[in-house]
Each structure stands twice: as C-alpha cells, then as structure tokens.
Amino acid sequence: MSLAVITGIGAIAATGADVESPPPWTGDTWRREHRIIDLHQHINATEEHVRRALGILDRAGLGVAVNLSGGTVTAKPEQRSAFEQWRELSERVAPGRFVAYFNLDYTGWDDPGFAEGAVRQVETAHRLGAAGLKEYKRLGLFLRDGKGELIRIDDPRLDGVWRRCGELGMPVSIHVADPRAFWLPYSAQNERWKELKDHRSWWFGDPKQFPPREELLAALNRVIARHPQTSFVAVHFANNAEDLDWVDRQLEQHPNLNADLAARMPELGRHDPERVRRLFVKHADRILFATDFQVYDRLILGSSGDGERPTDDDAATFFHKEWRWLETHDRDWPHMTPIQGDWTIRSVRLPEDVLRKIYFDNARRLLARSLPLTVLEARQITRDFAPDGRLEEPEWQGAVPFHLEQESRDGRARPELSTPVRALWSDRFLYLAYECPFTELTDYGEAQPGERIQPPSALWDRDVVELFVAPDPARLDRYTEYEWAPNNEALDLRIQKPDSDFAWSSGMEWKVRVDRDRRLWICEARIPLSALDERPPVEGTRWRVNLYRIDRAHRAFLASNPTLNGSFHTTDRFGWLVFRR
C-alpha cells in the first residue's frame, strides 16, 4: 500500500522571515518506512476515532503510537474492562499500530486492602497486554482521600504499584506539575493566558488548594529513587522543560529516569539551541519522541483551546513541525502549538545517531516486551533465478527491506551492524537476501563439505545469518532452521520440540560473497516452498518467522523480533512473514 508521508519537501510555505530548510531531512527515510514511535498519544476508544488516528499516523510517517489512555482493568463481573475494550478495538481496526498503557483505578483508596488490590491491577494489566502504566497529574493536585486531603505522589500505599511495574518490565509514564506559569497569577499578564483562560482547572496558583510546583517534582524524585528497578518516563520533558540544568541533574542522578518530549517543543525551542543540543546528545539514550497528540471528538495538537477544531491537514502540519525542530537548523519560526505561548522557536538539528535513538531505538528497547511483532514482507515474483550473491536481479529492487539490528536478549539497537534483509517468493521458492556490514569476520576459513553441528565447533559458534520458520502459527513446536556463514558453509534442520533432525535436507540453494572493500558480506538463498510447508502460500498467508545474525567480533546476537532471553528458539517471540503480491 502506498502511503503519502509528510517529509521535508515543501509541506509548509515559508512566510516572511520563516524560511524552511529544503529537503532532504534526516528522518525522511524512517518516515517512509514507518519506523518512528510516538510514546505519548491519547486516542478515544471508538472505531471512528481510531480510524482517524490511523490515517494521520500513516500520513505523518509514524509506525507505532502508544495510547496512554488505555483505561482501567477493573470491571463489574461478566463485563469487559475499558482496557480490554480498547485492545480489542485497536487490534481489529489497526492491528500492529498501537500499544496501550493502562490507568490505575483509585476506587477504594481509603480501604485497608487498597495497596494489595492496586498491585493486582498491575498484574491483571500485564496479563491483558498492557505495555505500561500511565499516571496523570491527578496525584498531588486532584485526587483526594475520604478526609479531603490530596493523595501524594510518594504515598507509601503506591510503592507496591511502582515496584510491581518494575518486576514485570512495565515502564511508568508519569505527569506531575506543569509549567511555572500555571502557578503564577491568573491574569492576562500571564504568558500562558490563552491556555489558562480556556482551562481554568489547570491553574494551581492558590496555595490553599495546591502545593508548590517544586514540592510535586521533589515527591516524584523520591519515588524514582525508591524504585531503581522500575523505568520511569517523566512526561513533558521530565515535567520541567523550562529548567534544562534541573533536567540534566535528574537524569544524571536517576539511571531509571527517562524524559519524553510530549507537548514541550514550544518550550524547549525557546532555549539556546546549542545548549539543548548538548543536553540531547549527552542523554541520547534517555529521551523519547512523543507528542501528546489526541483524537477525541476533536483533535488536540499538544494542547488546544475551547474554540479550536483542527483538521487532519492541521495534524499533518503539527507533525511536520515536530520533525522540523529536531532535524533542521531553522531559526525563529512559529511553533506547533500556538496556544502554549506567543513566541518563536529555534531548531536543534540533532545528529543522525542521536535522532534515531529518540525516534525509535529507545522506545524499542523500553517496550521490547509489548511492541507488535515485527513483520517481514515477501514480494511475489513471476520467474525464478539461481542465487549468485550479487543481488543484481531486478526483482530485488521491489523487495521491502527489513532492518535486522536489535539485540535478541534485550531489544537494544546495534545500528553499526544494521543488516537489511529482503524476501521474495515465487510459485516454487522463498528467496532471502542479507547484506551484512562487518569490521572483522569470524568463520572457519575455507569451506568444508558437510554440516558443522557439534559445539564448540558448530556453524553457529562463528558468524552466521539465520532464518527460523514456523508455517503453522498454531504449532510453534514445529519449525525449520537455516544458517549461512561468510565462508559459504550452511546448514538446515527440522525441529519438532524437543527433537532436532539434522539429517533432514530442505534442498535449499545459496551463495555468499564477501566484499572486503565495502566491508560487506552478502548471503543470497532460496528455499523450496515444499520444504517449508506442504500447503503453498497465497497472497496474505502469514507464517511465524525470526531472522537472526551472529557477529562474534562485536558480540552481537541480533534478532528481527527480540526473544528477550538467551535462546533463539523462543518461538512465541517469533515475528511474522507475510506473503504479498
């Protein structure tokens, strides 16, 4: 399917002094490939709103969005929870495009068993597929107990929730406090007046009702310090985008703290861009792309006023401005959320390695357990050809590359070893092509006849690329495995757990070529479809597969879908192979 993507090409007309940098922009290819992850959206649980959100994601070039408003997991007997309803809706309307966090139900806060029940909510959410927990700014500002006292962010009754999230690998996105102006006098002289006059409940300047802003930030810091095994994402750039030195200190002091960018580019863009850039480079592993884009009966582009009714075109412009701030060196241009303040911003033009971490690498690691299973597409061809390791056949130009670059154990990105893998299929064969960058090869030298299957001198004890195929998603205990090495040795085997049949032969053909000038080794292979499954695939057929690469010099064990443990044979973590025309 061809999708129009907003890139750096003339999407916004320059007016006056606002001259936009010409294309190409750093993220253009990532947007065409839909690799970017937005860690902070809010999507209403109706089919109309999910479809509208999906259309805007496609237009903007986003791959996955995280809905932080997934709902609670509590429900009356015989009823589905709000979270279950969201999951079912999103998977039916937009499979593989959204993941959701759940929201804690504070009903019964004053009851003696609330703390234990809240932990059970976390466990239920994990079982139902929640990626994490989102806590709104209600703690410390809105939620009150039976005596009318505010429920504190660092109340000990919530310690079990934060701890259990860490044990289950569920990150916590948490919002506390707000911009300083929300504590300043409620008047037209307030620089955020446009926003406050339409959102009276966001003004916290009455000390009789609300604690000081600094007290809320300190309470969150105490929670983060008490739970070092839990990953926290402090939203809105650590809830304090106005104070870069403070954010820097918190990220230094708390290794389990991350910051998302949601709705704070207008504020960050006011700072000296070089200073912002240094901070982003320093903490590149801890900052995540996020927007606070919302789809309800109207769109909300980071923030909005009561009278605003943004269109889908406005949403595309909003995302384009997000890219512009991160990817160009443009100066003094109107920011993406005008209601947040009457000022212009200056772009930071981040280095490519930093930008990809912020756009998707950090989120893929943080959400490795819960992201949708990866998809390798095989394009249909009308003729067959013998592999020669050159990839000069024109059919390869139409194949969609998959980037094999995540560590199998934890989802960590290894961009220096990013290996494009392409797949084709004909009436007779499945074709694969791996292009493997290297600095040093580790193999057995001159190829020997037969298959190396005895550790510690097995083929997989050196550099290899691999394919595991389970054609029947209902029988993941039955699959086949294929390996190819830089010295052109290979092996194949058939597995029915717990048994492995190394004597079996698929009849595969392959050729490996090493280009030392380009520091690239290329594997081209074809496998008879009859060896993979007795039922030939058709358009839309889906098999469970995983791609792997072992590079011993870099101690890299890459997987197309991370298994999150030390075994490549974790079949329930296999991704998908989809046959396309």
Side-chain angles (χ1 to χ4, degrees):
M1 179 171 59
S2 175
L3 301 171
V5 175
I6 294 296
T7 69
I9 304 177
I12 310 296
T15 58
D18 177 21
V19 178
E20 185 175 288
S21 293
W25 288 3
T26 310
D28 288 347
T29 298
W30 299 331
R31 286 184 281 278
R32 283 193 296 270
E33 296 176 348
H34 285 200
R35 300 183 73 187
I36 297 174
I37 298 172
D38 186 340
L39 198 73
H40 189 142
Q41 293 194 1
H42 298 278
I43 312 298
N44 196 30
T46 72
E47 182 167 338
E48 174 190 0
H49 295 131
V50 173
R51 289 193 183 281
R52 188 178 189 187
L54 178 62
I56 293 169
L57 262 62
D58 286 344
R59 189 171 174 183
L62 289 168
V64 174
V66 178
N67 180 18
L68 296 183
S69 300
T72 63
V73 297
T74 52
K76 295 179 180 178
E78 309 304 321
Q79 292 186 357
R80 291 175 304 149
S81 67
F83 182 84
E84 290 172 283
Q85 294 177 55
W86 161 263
R87 283 270 294 180
E88 292 170 8
L89 173 66
S90 63
E91 284 304 303
R92 175 172 58 83
V93 175
R97 301 300 297 279
F98 293 95
V99 297
Y101 283 30
F102 88 102
N103 312 117
L104 200 65
D105 184 350
Y106 284 87
T107 301
W109 171 263
D110 293 308
D111 296 343
F114 175 84
E116 293 77 10
V119 171
R120 287 194 294 273
Q121 289 186 51
V122 176
E123 294 168 344
T124 299
H126 180 267
R127 176 176 55 81
L128 294 175
L133 165 65
K134 169 60 163 69
E135 188 48 67
Y136 303 100
K137 63 183 177 185
R138 54 190 176 172
L139 285 176
L141 288 172
F142 295 110
L143 285 179
R144 295 179 183 272
D145 62 19
K147 298 178 181 178
E149 300 293 330
L150 286 168
I151 298 176
R152 302 192 321 273
I153 297 162
D154 59 345
D155 192 295
R157 278 171 287 186
L158 293 173
D159 278 338
V161 168
W162 316 130
R163 181 176 59 254
R164 194 66 177 127
C165 282
E167 292 168 349
L168 294 175
M170 300 173 69
V172 176
S173 283
I174 185 164
H175 182 181
V176 305
D178 259 330
R180 284 196 187 106
F182 290 14
W183 272 260
L184 298 178
Y186 185 79
S187 71
Q189 284 67 51
N190 191 309
E191 70 171 2
R192 302 293 284 263
W193 177 243
K194 287 183 180 179
E195 204 168 16
L196 287 172
K197 69 184 179 69
D198 276 3
H199 301 281
R200 181 65 174 78
S201 64
W202 292 1
W203 182 69
F204 308 116
D206 183 355
K208 295 180 181 178
Q209 297 187 62
F210 304 107
R213 178 173 175 272
E214 294 74 19
E215 185 176 309
L216 298 172
L217 296 171
L220 176 58
N221 285 344
R222 289 192 291 272
V223 170
I224 294 169
R226 285 208 301 258
H227 300 281
Q229 302 307 312
T230 302
S231 294
F232 289 89
V233 179
V235 301
H236 306 309
F237 207 62
N239 298 293
N240 198 5
E242 292 149 300
D243 191 341
L244 298 185
D245 290 337
W246 184 92
V247 173
D248 184 23
R249 288 195 303 273
Q250 303 316 310
L251 290 172
E252 285 184 341
Q253 292 172 15
H254 305 294
N256 58 325
L257 173 63
N258 305 272
D260 86 16
L261 297 177
R264 289 302 179 266
M265 286 187 190
E267 189 63 52
L268 290 167
R270 302 171 80 182
H271 294 289
D272 172 13
E274 290 305 314
R275 186 178 173 209
V276 176
R277 192 174 191 270
R278 288 194 299 271
L279 181 65
F280 277 48
V281 170
K282 179 179 179 181
H283 297 293
D285 294 327
R286 314 267 292 286
I287 299 171
L288 300 112
F289 177 74
T291 61
D292 210 357
F293 172 67
Q294 302 178 41
V295 183
Y296 291 92
D297 288 337
R298 60 191 176 101
L299 302 180
I300 297 176
L301 310 179
S303 184
S304 69
D306 290 340
E308 296 182 25
R309 292 295 182 271
T311 65
D312 290 11
D313 286 344
D314 293 327
T317 299
F318 169 79
F319 280 102
H320 178 86
K321 289 189 171 186
E322 301 269 321
W323 319 138
R324 184 182 182 187
W325 186 72
L326 289 163
E327 298 178 38
T328 77
H329 49 60
D330 293 350
R331 296 291 183 262
D332 303 319
W333 53 275
H335 63 75
M336 59 287 294
T337 310
I339 196 173
Q340 288 190 336
D342 293 325
W343 56 74
T344 59
I345 62 174
R346 295 172 288 176
S347 302
V348 293
R349 193 171 188 175
L350 296 174
E352 180 177 345
D353 62 329
V354 172
L355 198 59
R356 64 167 285 154
K357 290 181 179 182
I358 292 171
Y359 274 157
F360 50 85
D361 282 343
N362 294 341
R364 286 157 90 187
R365 183 187 70 248
L366 185 74
L367 302 176
R369 180 189 62 83
S370 51
L371 282 174
L373 297 175
T374 55
V375 176
L376 171 68
E377 290 190 0
R379 294 292 183 178
Q380 190 173 28
I381 56 177
T382 57
R383 72 178 185 96
D384 288 307
F385 54 87
D388 62 8
R390 299 185 185 279
L391 306 186
E392 294 176 348
E393 303 294 338
E395 285 83 356
W396 286 119
Q397 300 306 310
V400 179
F402 180 92
H403 301 277
L404 177 58
E405 59 187 14
Q406 284 185 273
E407 285 283 358
S408 183
R409 183 178 290 276
D410 59 9
R412 180 167 48 93
R414 299 296 299 271
E416 73 279 12
L417 295 173
S418 184
T419 302
V421 183
R422 293 173 172 82
L424 301 168
W425 66 291
S426 69
D427 291 341
R428 298 177 58 204
F429 297 101
L430 173 67
Y431 292 79
L432 287 167
Y434 298 75
E435 298 176 80
C436 309
F438 71 90
T439 58
E440 176 185 342
L441 291 179
T442 307
D443 60 24
Y444 288 104
E446 184 176 350
Q448 301 295 318
E451 295 183 342
R452 298 180 188 267
I453 62 174
Q454 295 299 326
S457 299
L459 196 63
W460 58 86
D461 290 316
R462 304 293 189 271
D463 292 353
V464 290
V465 292
E466 303 183 0
L467 169 71
F468 287 38
V469 183
D472 185 353
R475 291 300 309 269
L476 292 178
D477 60 329
R478 297 180 178 182
Y479 56 100
T480 52
E481 175 182 346
Y482 310 84
E483 300 185 15
W484 302 275
N487 68 345
N488 207 46
E489 291 190 48
L491 64 79
D492 53 8
L493 63 147
R494 183 170 53 193
I495 298 169
Q496 182 170 345
K497 288 186 174 181
D499 299 319
S500 299
D501 182 1
F502 283 94
W504 175 81
S505 176
S506 66
M508 68 178 180
E509 303 168 65
W510 71 94
K511 181 64 177 179
V512 176
R513 290 186 181 273
V514 178
D515 187 333
R516 295 192 179 276
D517 292 333
R518 296 167 59 199
R519 312 298 287 176
L520 190 73
W521 68 276
I522 298 170
C523 172
E524 185 178 22
R526 69 178 187 180
I527 306 168
L529 291 172
S530 59
L532 292 161
D533 192 19
E534 60 186 22
R535 298 160 298 179
V538 297
E539 159 72 13
T541 295
R542 295 166 64 88
W543 291 350
R544 296 294 295 274
V545 307
N546 237 21
L547 306 165
Y548 298 104
R549 179 184 174 191
I550 298 175
D551 185 293
R552 296 288 174 176
H554 293 87
R555 298 181 180 178
F557 299 84
L558 307 183
S560 53
N561 202 78
T563 63
L564 305 182
N565 57 40
S567 172
F568 285 0
H569 293 267
T570 309
T571 53
D572 62 346
R573 291 291 304 169
F574 284 8
W576 292 101
L577 169 66
V578 181
F579 291 85
R580 301 291 191 201
R581 292 193 186 280

mmCIF file of all heavy atoms in Angstrom, residues 487-515:
data_model
loop_
_atom_site.group_PDB
_atom_site.id
_atom_site.type_symbol
_atom_site.label_atom_id
_atom_site.label_comp_id
_atom_site.label_asym_id
_atom_site.label_seq_id
_atom_site.Cartn_x
_atom_site.Cartn_y
_atom_site.Cartn_z
ATOM 1 N N ASN A 487 31.881 -17.911 4.955
ATOM 2 C CA ASN A 487 32.741 -18.754 4.118
ATOM 3 C C ASN A 487 31.930 -19.673 3.206
ATOM 4 O O ASN A 487 32.470 -20.621 2.622
ATOM 5 C CB ASN A 487 33.697 -19.568 4.982
ATOM 6 C CG ASN A 487 32.968 -20.629 5.806
ATOM 7 O OD1 ASN A 487 31.744 -20.593 5.946
ATOM 8 N ND2 ASN A 487 33.728 -21.568 6.352
ATOM 9 N N ASN A 488 30.622 -19.406 3.103
ATOM 10 C CA ASN A 488 29.703 -20.127 2.211
ATOM 11 C C ASN A 488 29.290 -21.495 2.746
ATOM 12 O O ASN A 488 28.670 -22.290 2.033
ATOM 13 C CB ASN A 488 30.271 -20.279 0.795
ATOM 14 C CG ASN A 488 29.162 -20.398 -0.251
ATOM 15 O OD1 ASN A 488 28.198 -19.640 -0.246
ATOM 16 N ND2 ASN A 488 29.290 -21.370 -1.150
ATOM 17 N N GLU A 489 29.606 -21.803 3.993
ATOM 18 C CA GLU A 489 29.055 -23.009 4.608
ATOM 19 C C GLU A 489 27.627 -22.736 5.064
ATOM 20 O O GLU A 489 27.236 -21.589 5.314
ATOM 21 C CB GLU A 489 29.910 -23.454 5.791
ATOM 22 C CG GLU A 489 31.280 -23.970 5.387
ATOM 23 C CD GLU A 489 32.010 -24.616 6.545
ATOM 24 O OE1 GLU A 489 31.389 -25.443 7.248
ATOM 25 O OE2 GLU A 489 33.189 -24.299 6.759
ATOM 26 N N ALA A 490 26.847 -23.805 5.208
ATOM 27 C CA ALA A 490 25.444 -23.651 5.585
ATOM 28 C C ALA A 490 24.968 -24.913 6.276
ATOM 29 O O ALA A 490 25.632 -25.965 6.244
ATOM 30 C CB ALA A 490 24.582 -23.357 4.358
ATOM 31 N N LEU A 491 23.802 -24.813 6.890
ATOM 32 C CA LEU A 491 23.127 -25.993 7.421
ATOM 33 C C LEU A 491 21.638 -25.722 7.483
ATOM 34 O O LEU A 491 21.197 -24.576 7.493
ATOM 35 C CB LEU A 491 23.672 -26.407 8.795
ATOM 36 C CG LEU A 491 23.520 -25.483 10.003
ATOM 37 C CD1 LEU A 491 22.126 -25.528 10.611
ATOM 38 C CD2 LEU A 491 24.539 -25.859 11.072
ATOM 39 N N ASP A 492 20.867 -26.807 7.489
ATOM 40 C CA ASP A 492 19.430 -26.703 7.709
ATOM 41 C C ASP A 492 19.000 -27.879 8.574
ATOM 42 O O ASP A 492 19.649 -28.928 8.606
ATOM 43 C CB ASP A 492 18.645 -26.638 6.402
ATOM 44 C CG ASP A 492 18.976 -27.771 5.439
ATOM 45 O OD1 ASP A 492 19.716 -28.710 5.834
ATOM 46 O OD2 ASP A 492 18.521 -27.723 4.286
ATOM 47 N N LEU A 493 17.928 -27.711 9.305
ATOM 48 C CA LEU A 493 17.420 -28.771 10.154
ATOM 49 C C LEU A 493 15.938 -28.578 10.396
ATOM 50 O O LEU A 493 15.408 -27.469 10.256
ATOM 51 C CB LEU A 493 18.164 -28.844 11.493
ATOM 52 C CG LEU A 493 18.061 -27.638 12.431
ATOM 53 C CD1 LEU A 493 18.104 -28.101 13.884
ATOM 54 C CD2 LEU A 493 19.207 -26.665 12.173
ATOM 55 N N ARG A 494 15.303 -29.667 10.748
ATOM 56 C CA ARG A 494 13.871 -29.648 11.061
ATOM 57 C C ARG A 494 13.710 -29.944 12.545
ATOM 58 O O ARG A 494 14.354 -30.850 13.078
ATOM 59 C CB ARG A 494 13.143 -30.687 10.212
ATOM 60 C CG ARG A 494 11.633 -30.715 10.405
ATOM 61 C CD ARG A 494 10.980 -31.589 9.346
ATOM 62 N NE ARG A 494 11.581 -32.923 9.307
ATOM 63 C CZ ARG A 494 11.367 -33.790 8.323
ATOM 64 N NH1 ARG A 494 10.612 -33.459 7.292
ATOM 65 N NH2 ARG A 494 11.939 -34.988 8.362
ATOM 66 N N ILE A 495 12.866 -29.168 13.204
ATOM 67 C CA ILE A 495 12.714 -29.275 14.658
ATOM 68 C C ILE A 495 11.261 -29.578 14.997
ATOM 69 O O ILE A 495 10.340 -28.928 14.487
ATOM 70 C CB ILE A 495 13.152 -27.976 15.358
ATOM 71 C CG1 ILE A 495 14.645 -27.713 15.088
ATOM 72 C CG2 ILE A 495 12.864 -28.037 16.861
ATOM 73 C CD1 ILE A 495 15.110 -26.344 15.512
ATOM 74 N N GLN A 496 11.076 -30.581 15.813
ATOM 75 C CA GLN A 496 9.810 -30.809 16.499
ATOM 76 C C GLN A 496 10.168 -30.984 17.961
ATOM 77 O O GLN A 496 10.665 -32.030 18.368
ATOM 78 C CB GLN A 496 9.054 -32.020 15.967
ATOM 79 C CG GLN A 496 7.710 -32.214 16.661
ATOM 80 C CD GLN A 496 6.825 -33.254 15.987
ATOM 81 O OE1 GLN A 496 7.079 -33.648 14.863
ATOM 82 N NE2 GLN A 496 5.786 -33.676 16.693
ATOM 83 N N LYS A 497 9.977 -29.946 18.724
ATOM 84 C CA LYS A 497 10.486 -29.933 20.099
ATOM 85 C C LYS A 497 10.032 -31.160 20.863
ATOM 86 O O LYS A 497 8.862 -31.548 20.769
ATOM 87 C CB LYS A 497 10.029 -28.655 20.807
ATOM 88 C CG LYS A 497 10.742 -27.398 20.317
ATOM 89 C CD LYS A 497 10.348 -26.190 21.159
ATOM 90 C CE LYS A 497 11.157 -24.966 20.785
ATOM 91 N NZ LYS A 497 10.803 -23.786 21.602
ATOM 92 N N PRO A 498 10.972 -31.770 21.575
ATOM 93 C CA PRO A 498 12.347 -31.327 21.853
ATOM 94 C C PRO A 498 13.393 -31.885 20.882
ATOM 95 O O PRO A 498 14.582 -31.765 21.134
ATOM 96 C CB PRO A 498 12.591 -31.871 23.256
ATOM 97 C CG PRO A 498 11.832 -33.170 23.261
ATOM 98 C CD PRO A 498 10.605 -32.932 22.417
ATOM 99 N N ASP A 499 12.969 -32.506 19.772
ATOM 100 C CA ASP A 499 13.896 -33.196 18.881
ATOM 101 C C ASP A 499 14.330 -32.305 17.722
ATOM 102 O O ASP A 499 13.553 -31.507 17.202
ATOM 103 C CB ASP A 499 13.227 -34.467 18.335
ATOM 104 C CG ASP A 499 12.840 -35.438 19.438
ATOM 105 O OD1 ASP A 499 13.641 -35.596 20.378
ATOM 106 O OD2 ASP A 499 11.741 -36.008 19.366
ATOM 107 N N SER A 500 15.591 -32.505 17.283
ATOM 108 C CA SER A 500 16.149 -31.793 16.131
ATOM 109 C C SER A 500 16.651 -32.808 15.115
ATOM 110 O O SER A 500 17.397 -33.729 15.466
ATOM 111 C CB SER A 500 17.304 -30.890 16.560
ATOM 112 O OG SER A 500 16.871 -29.908 17.474
ATOM 113 N N ASP A 501 16.244 -32.636 13.860
ATOM 114 C CA ASP A 501 16.607 -33.565 12.792
ATOM 115 C C ASP A 501 17.630 -32.895 11.878
ATOM 116 O O ASP A 501 17.268 -32.185 10.934
ATOM 117 C CB ASP A 501 15.349 -33.958 12.023
ATOM 118 C CG ASP A 501 15.620 -34.954 10.912
ATOM 119 O OD1 ASP A 501 16.793 -35.355 10.745
ATOM 120 O OD2 ASP A 501 14.662 -35.324 10.197
ATOM 121 N N PHE A 502 18.921 -33.120 12.148
ATOM 122 C CA PHE A 502 19.977 -32.521 11.333
ATOM 123 C C PHE A 502 20.162 -33.268 10.004
ATOM 124 O O PHE A 502 20.740 -32.722 9.072
ATOM 125 C CB PHE A 502 21.292 -32.508 12.104
ATOM 126 C CG PHE A 502 21.374 -31.439 13.145
ATOM 127 C CD1 PHE A 502 21.036 -31.705 14.461
ATOM 128 C CD2 PHE A 502 21.785 -30.151 12.817
ATOM 129 C CE1 PHE A 502 21.109 -30.720 15.432
ATOM 130 C CE2 PHE A 502 21.859 -29.164 13.781
ATOM 131 C CZ PHE A 502 21.518 -29.436 15.087
ATOM 132 N N ALA A 503 19.676 -34.500 9.914
ATOM 133 C CA ALA A 503 19.824 -35.251 8.671
ATOM 134 C C ALA A 503 18.878 -34.748 7.589
ATOM 135 O O ALA A 503 19.116 -34.973 6.399
ATOM 136 C CB ALA A 503 19.584 -36.738 8.936
ATOM 137 N N TRP A 504 17.835 -34.077 7.990
ATOM 138 C CA TRP A 504 16.852 -33.561 7.026
ATOM 139 C C TRP A 504 17.506 -32.537 6.109
ATOM 140 O O TRP A 504 18.376 -31.765 6.524
ATOM 141 C CB TRP A 504 15.705 -32.917 7.794
ATOM 142 C CG TRP A 504 14.672 -32.224 6.953
ATOM 143 C CD1 TRP A 504 13.643 -32.804 6.282
ATOM 144 C CD2 TRP A 504 14.557 -30.814 6.727
ATOM 145 N NE1 TRP A 504 12.887 -31.845 5.640
ATOM 146 C CE2 TRP A 504 13.432 -30.614 5.895
ATOM 147 C CE3 TRP A 504 15.301 -29.705 7.130
ATOM 148 C CZ2 TRP A 504 13.028 -29.347 5.468
ATOM 149 C CZ3 TRP A 504 14.903 -28.441 6.708
ATOM 150 C CH2 TRP A 504 13.785 -28.271 5.890
ATOM 151 N N SER A 505 17.084 -32.501 4.851
ATOM 152 C CA SER A 505 17.589 -31.519 3.887
ATOM 153 C C SER A 505 16.427 -30.833 3.199
ATOM 154 O O SER A 505 15.510 -31.492 2.698
ATOM 155 C CB SER A 505 18.482 -32.195 2.843
ATOM 156 O OG SER A 505 18.887 -31.246 1.864
ATOM 157 N N SER A 506 16.487 -29.538 3.159
ATOM 158 C CA SER A 506 15.432 -28.748 2.532
ATOM 159 C C SER A 506 15.593 -28.646 1.020
ATOM 160 O O SER A 506 14.649 -28.289 0.317
ATOM 161 C CB SER A 506 15.418 -27.337 3.119
ATOM 162 O OG SER A 506 16.624 -26.653 2.770
ATOM 163 N N GLY A 507 16.801 -28.925 0.525
ATOM 164 C CA GLY A 507 17.081 -28.688 -0.888
ATOM 165 C C GLY A 507 17.366 -27.224 -1.201
ATOM 166 O O GLY A 507 17.290 -26.811 -2.363
ATOM 167 N N MET A 508 17.724 -26.458 -0.177
ATOM 168 C CA MET A 508 17.990 -25.031 -0.399
ATOM 169 C C MET A 508 19.244 -24.833 -1.249
ATOM 170 O O MET A 508 20.131 -25.685 -1.295
ATOM 171 C CB MET A 508 18.147 -24.305 0.932
ATOM 172 C CG MET A 508 19.389 -24.677 1.724
ATOM 173 S SD MET A 508 19.511 -23.730 3.258
ATOM 174 C CE MET A 508 21.022 -24.378 3.947
ATOM 175 N N GLU A 509 19.313 -23.670 -1.913
ATOM 176 C CA GLU A 509 20.473 -23.242 -2.676
ATOM 177 C C GLU A 509 20.902 -21.880 -2.158
ATOM 178 O O GLU A 509 20.059 -21.066 -1.772
ATOM 179 C CB GLU A 509 20.136 -23.158 -4.170
ATOM 180 C CG GLU A 509 19.615 -24.457 -4.772
ATOM 181 C CD GLU A 509 19.027 -24.220 -6.145
ATOM 182 O OE1 GLU A 509 19.771 -23.851 -7.076
ATOM 183 O OE2 GLU A 509 17.796 -24.392 -6.280
ATOM 184 N N TRP A 510 22.207 -21.602 -2.188
ATOM 185 C CA TRP A 510 22.687 -20.342 -1.647
ATOM 186 C C TRP A 510 24.042 -19.983 -2.246
ATOM 187 O O TRP A 510 24.746 -20.815 -2.806
ATOM 188 C CB TRP A 510 22.803 -20.415 -0.133
ATOM 189 C CG TRP A 510 23.942 -21.292 0.343
ATOM 190 C CD1 TRP A 510 25.203 -20.905 0.673
ATOM 191 C CD2 TRP A 510 23.913 -22.715 0.494
ATOM 192 N NE1 TRP A 510 25.976 -21.983 1.040
ATOM 193 C CE2 TRP A 510 25.208 -23.112 0.935
ATOM 194 C CE3 TRP A 510 22.930 -23.701 0.305
ATOM 195 C CZ2 TRP A 510 25.531 -24.439 1.188
ATOM 196 C CZ3 TRP A 510 23.265 -25.022 0.553
ATOM 197 C CH2 TRP A 510 24.546 -25.381 0.994
ATOM 198 N N LYS A 511 24.370 -18.707 -2.095
ATOM 199 C CA LYS A 511 25.700 -18.217 -2.444
ATOM 200 C C LYS A 511 26.030 -17.051 -1.535
ATOM 201 O O LYS A 511 25.227 -16.134 -1.370
ATOM 202 C CB LYS A 511 25.767 -17.767 -3.912
ATOM 203 C CG LYS A 511 27.131 -17.271 -4.348
ATOM 204 C CD LYS A 511 28.194 -18.367 -4.281
ATOM 205 C CE LYS A 511 29.540 -17.876 -4.794
ATOM 206 N NZ LYS A 511 30.584 -18.917 -4.704
ATOM 207 N N VAL A 512 27.225 -17.089 -0.950
ATOM 208 C CA VAL A 512 27.700 -15.997 -0.096
ATOM 209 C C VAL A 512 28.910 -15.362 -0.757
ATOM 210 O O VAL A 512 29.815 -16.070 -1.226
ATOM 211 C CB VAL A 512 28.071 -16.511 1.310
ATOM 212 C CG1 VAL A 512 28.659 -15.375 2.148
ATOM 213 C CG2 VAL A 512 26.848 -17.110 2.000
ATOM 214 N N ARG A 513 28.938 -14.038 -0.803
ATOM 215 C CA ARG A 513 30.088 -13.296 -1.323
ATOM 216 C C ARG A 513 30.545 -12.290 -0.270
ATOM 217 O O ARG A 513 29.719 -11.653 0.377
ATOM 218 C CB ARG A 513 29.743 -12.556 -2.616
ATOM 219 C CG ARG A 513 29.516 -13.476 -3.803
ATOM 220 C CD ARG A 513 29.312 -12.683 -5.098
ATOM 221 N NE ARG A 513 29.067 -13.569 -6.225
ATOM 222 C CZ ARG A 513 30.013 -14.111 -6.962
ATOM 223 N NH1 ARG A 513 31.296 -13.847 -6.679
ATOM 224 N NH2 ARG A 513 29.706 -14.920 -7.975
ATOM 225 N N VAL A 514 31.838 -12.170 -0.122
ATOM 226 C CA VAL A 514 32.425 -11.204 0.821
ATOM 227 C C VAL A 514 33.083 -10.098 0.022
ATOM 228 O O VAL A 514 33.979 -10.355 -0.795
ATOM 229 C CB VAL A 514 33.454 -11.888 1.738
ATOM 230 C CG1 VAL A 514 34.093 -10.855 2.666
ATOM 231 C CG2 VAL A 514 32.783 -13.000 2.555
ATOM 232 N N ASP A 515 32.624 -8.877 0.254
ATOM 233 C CA ASP A 515 33.211 -7.695 -0.404
ATOM 234 C C ASP A 515 34.033 -6.963 0.651
ATOM 235 O O ASP A 515 33.503 -6.194 1.446
ATOM 236 C CB ASP A 515 32.097 -6.803 -0.956
ATOM 237 C CG ASP A 515 32.623 -5.644 -1.793
ATOM 238 O OD1 ASP A 515 33.772 -5.209 -1.553
ATOM 239 O OD2 ASP A 515 31.879 -5.164 -2.667
#
